[in-house]
Amino acid sequence: VNAGQVFVGDHRKFDFFILSPRGTWVRPWVTAWMDMRSGKLVGWLVTFSPNTDTIMTAFAEAALNPAIGLPREIYIDNGRDYCNERFAGRGWRERMKTTLETEGARVVPMMEHLGIIAHFAIPENARAKTIERVAFGNMSNWFDRWFDTYCGHNSAHKPETLSDKLKGSAN
């Protein structure tokens, strides 16, 4: 695999809380694209609610950058927002279903228009996507834990003082 040939995309919920514009504590999400060869994040978007639009925005950040450009292939999961007719078409589980039709013509996904081959990960395969193991693991280890509102990756890592911090900071 050459650098820039394959991008891997996914969402991740950060392991810390921030105060939203509405005044409530929320854990933000990041939608990111990583170059499979170099492990470099090439496009990302932080949001409160990931969806197909955030995927396309983060992808455009990489694709429209002249130093990065379009990949030849993408590797994504089978989430509803990635298996979208507008973005990459139907995923692994949906191949047997008929495609969405508009006035008798097939809706052509953006990846097909761009000549990019979309590969879908095998469902429920935790080792399938390098972005989860590499980039998202690094975010958790190097970035998340330095926030005062770090909540841990799971309940075993949750700081005992978190609820007191959230109550005290909201006032």
Side-chain angles (χ1 to χ4, degrees):
V1 176
N2 295 321
Q5 179 181 342
V6 180
F7 288 178
V8 182
D10 206 354
H11 306 297
R12 174 188 181 267
K13 191 180 252 188
F14 284 113
D15 293 333
F16 58 83
F17 285 90
I18 63 170
L19 202 53
S20 76
R22 294 181 178 174
T24 58
W25 289 105
V26 295
R27 287 175 58 192
W29 288 80
V30 62
T31 300
W33 288 93
M34 182 184 81
D35 175 58
M36 185 181 264
R37 173 66 179 181
S38 67
K40 176 185 176 185
L41 288 179
V42 292
W44 61 87
L45 181 70
V46 176
T47 183
F48 292 119
S49 179
N51 56 46
T52 302
D53 293 332
T54 64
I55 294 166
M56 293 169 75
T57 302
F59 182 83
E61 183 179 328
L64 297 175
N65 181 337
I68 299 170
L70 290 173
R72 286 188 228 141
E73 304 170 46
I74 59 169
Y75 192 64
I76 54 179
D77 68 16
N78 283 278
R80 183 179 9 205
D81 41 1
Y82 283 92
C83 296
N84 183 291
E85 289 290 339
R86 291 184 304 138
F87 181 66
R90 301 206 180 235
W92 188 78
R93 296 180 189 184
E94 303 292 326
R95 299 275 177 174
M96 303 310 283
K97 293 185 178 181
T98 59
T99 59
L100 181 64
E101 294 188 12
T102 305
E103 299 175 10
R106 184 173 78 86
V107 173
V108 180
M110 182 177 80
M111 292 296 113
E112 191 174 325
H113 272 295
L114 296 172
I116 297 170
I117 300 166
H119 300 282
F120 295 90
I122 297 170
E124 308 299 326
N125 183 356
R127 299 183 317 164
K129 292 179 294 177
T130 56
I131 192 168
E132 290 178 351
R133 293 191 323 271
V134 178
F136 290 166
N138 289 343
M139 280 182 199
S140 181
N141 293 330
W142 299 341
F143 181 71
D144 293 2
R145 66 182 65 232
W146 298 106
F147 278 77
D148 284 342
T149 56
Y150 174 69
C151 60
H153 185 66
N154 57 42
S155 58
H157 294 111
K158 180 180 176 182
E160 293 178 14
T161 60
L162 178 63
S163 59
D164 292 335
K165 286 181 184 177
L166 296 179
K167 287 177 188 173
S169 299
N171 296 329

